[in-house]
Each structure stands twice: as C-alpha cells, then as structure tokens.
Amino acid sequence: MTILPFCYADKRGWDSAHPAFSCKEILDSGHSKGDGEYWIDPEKSGNPLKVYCDMSRYGGGWLLVSNVEFGSPSPKVSVETSYRGIGKSYMVLQESAMKELRRHLSFTQLRFHCHKKQGRTFHVVTASNSLGEAVVRYFSGETDEQPDACGSFVRLTLDENSELAGICKDWGRLVSEEYFVGKWGHGEGQDRLYSYPVLRKNKYHVRVLLHNVDDLKKMECDDRSGPNVGTNGDFWRVFLAGICKDWGKLSGKYFVGKWGHGEDQDRLYQYPVLRKGKYHLKVHLNNVGGLDKMECDDGSGHNVDTNGDFWRVFVR
C-alpha cells in the first residue's frame, strides 16, 4: 500500500501570483511542466522571482544558481551578491548570496556541471552523507574549512567523462598555497563557487574567469585553457536541491529529517510534515469537529483559507 499526501494551492510556480517555495516543491506537488522557468518565493515574502528549474535530470527539482555559456560574442555574466540574482539568465553567485539562499531554502545537495564540445564533461553531485553535507556548507559560506573531496560526490555517469572526478586525492589548494591536498576549493572567499571550486594544479580546473567585471574571459572545464578557448554552446552550471533534512520533530527536537511530529493517534493529519516555524501540513479541528485551521506548506493563522482549498490523503 502506498500513501500519498496531497494538498492543493493552484498550479504552484506557474505564475507570479502562485509562486512555489522551490523547484523541488513544484516537482513533488505534481505541478511540473518540464524543464524551464518557474516562479518561486523562498522567503514567503510576496516578492517572487522567476528562475530556471531542471525537472528531468537525476530526480528533478534542481534550481539553477550559476550559469555561464560560451558564445560569439559570449553573453555578459553578472556576479551576484544576493540570491535574487538567480533570476538573471547568466550569473554566478558569490558566497554571500549562497549563504542567504541556504538560510531560506535549506538545500542539501549541489550539482556541478560543465561541458566543452571539444573537450570533456565534469558532472558530479554532492553525496548524501556527512562528506557531501560538508561540501554544501563550505560553498554556502557556513564554514571556511575546505571539505574533503574523496567520498563527497557521485559521478553522474550518463555524460561524465572528466579526468578530475577520478583523481580526487589530488584536488585543491589551501590558503597556505599547499596543493594536492584532496580538498574542494582554492582557499579563497567570495568567489569560491565559480573560481577553482575544483582544481588539480597546472592540469585540470573547473573555473570561470571574468574580465572587466562581467565579461567572460575564460571558462575551464576539466582543462587548463588560455583566454577565450571555447566553442559556442560550451557551458558551466551549478544547481541545488533538497530541503527534507529540516523536516520533523522527535523527542522534543526539531529539524531531524523525519516524517511526523512524534505523537500518536493524529499522526496522519496533525503535522505529518513540518518544518518548525515555517512550513506545515496540518488539519486542526475545534472541540466540536469544525475546521479551525488548514495548513498547506505554510504556517497560517486561523481560517487563512480560500474556498476550494483542500487537504487529502490517498492510499493505493
């Protein structure tokens, strides 16, 4: 038997009047219309932004947070200090923007993808373990400790053919300028997501180099190229996904990555899913069986509902 919790609030993410919380929420709610642009509002502020969601690859629900493409001429690339810059077509995020986004979305995985038509493809996703979580924390600016490379990622084998993914013990550069340390990153600050997030000194790099603020001077993808060595359509992208690690309540503790709230008879309709203080699934009945409150991915007050809103559970 399969249990399917489902609640409805129009076509989530299809327009600015009905934004979703994240790409993953759109996918999980059944409102995906495939890869493309959607509206999200991670802060629930009423000020949504249009973003690109990858709904078809590796489970879907991936939010594009950095995008660089080689062309003739190459498009301008903006360096964003706020996460709201992800609404632009070509951009890279600085550490401050990633930290802000992590605070609102609590994402759990990063996916790095670059490709050169006359070269190779580097395509990895952070692992669902403590090593992978350390990578997410580093690129989100929550720590300056460079994470271990080996064991922290998974090669996405449909197109991954890089040299770098096979020599993780040689990755990295520390602030002390020591190389071949088996670490992500190059030991610097705000540009850590796009300037040498992965490198093997003097041989294989993943890097975006900008000239005169926003002009694309160089894009390296598992190579060490000179300026403007590329082919139209070569790209460098970073995606993120996942918030389920913040679900649940267990023995008085929250953010435990669990279904439910640890109680008994009402577990199916009282907080089967919750993120404390922010997003809930819940039906609250008053003393005579009347509907007092219904929460659907929100933390609403009493009777903050519209005719036709519903909360249902199915079995199969």
Side-chain angles (χ1 to χ4, degrees), residues 65-66 78-83 92-100 139-140 189-194:
V65 296
S66 286
S78 61
V79 178
E80 298 297 327
T81 58
S82 167
Y83 85 89
V92 291
L93 295 194
Q94 290 201 330
E95 177 193 327
S96 58
M98 287 293 289
K99 183 182 291 187
E100 183 185 17
F139 286 110
S140 301
Q190 286 292 334
D191 63 356
R192 64 180 60 176
L193 187 68
Y194 58 92

Side-chain angles (χ1 to χ4, degrees), residues 111-128:
R111 195 176 110 215
F112 294 84
H113 190 191
C114 65
H115 168 74
K116 284 192 171 181
K117 292 181 179 179
Q118 297 181 14
R120 291 181 294 271
T121 298
F122 178 78
H123 198 181
V124 304
V125 62
T126 53
S128 298

Side-chain angles (χ1 to χ4, degrees), residues 12 65 84 112 159 164 203 214 231 257 296 304:
R12 287 286 178 92
V65 296
R84 297 191 65 84
F112 294 84
D159 58 356
L164 273 168
K203 201 161 189 180
D214 58 2
T231 305
C296 178
V304 182

Side-chain angles (χ1 to χ4, degrees), residues 25 38 124 143 160 170 231 235 254 273 288 294 311:
E25 184 203 48
Y38 294 85
V124 304
T143 178
E160 216 288 331
D170 287 342
T231 305
F235 63 81
Y254 293 87
V273 181
V288 292
M294 186 189 82
W311 192 97

Side-chain angles (χ1 to χ4, degrees), residues 177-207:
E177 297 192 10
E178 181 182 356
Y179 291 86
F180 310 108
V181 290
K183 301 282 187 181
W184 288 79
H186 68 303
E188 303 298 335
Q190 286 292 334
D191 63 356
R192 64 180 60 176
L193 187 68
Y194 58 92
S195 182
Y196 298 123
V198 182
L199 77 151
R200 193 277 189 189
K201 185 183 179 184
N202 293 333
K203 201 161 189 180
Y204 310 115
H205 306 155
V206 173
R207 180 193 187 197

Side-chain angles (χ1 to χ4, degrees), residues 6-15 18-35 37-39 53 55 296 310:
F6 179 71
C7 56
Y8 176 76
D10 294 305
K11 294 289 187 181
R12 287 286 178 92
W14 285 32
D15 57 51
H18 304 98
F21 173 65
S22 67
C23 296
K24 188 72 165 58
E25 184 203 48
I26 296 169
L27 183 72
D28 290 347
S29 65
H31 293 159
S32 169
K33 52 185 177 181
D35 299 345
E37 293 182 328
Y38 294 85
W39 290 86
C53 299
M55 297 299 200
C296 178
F310 63 80

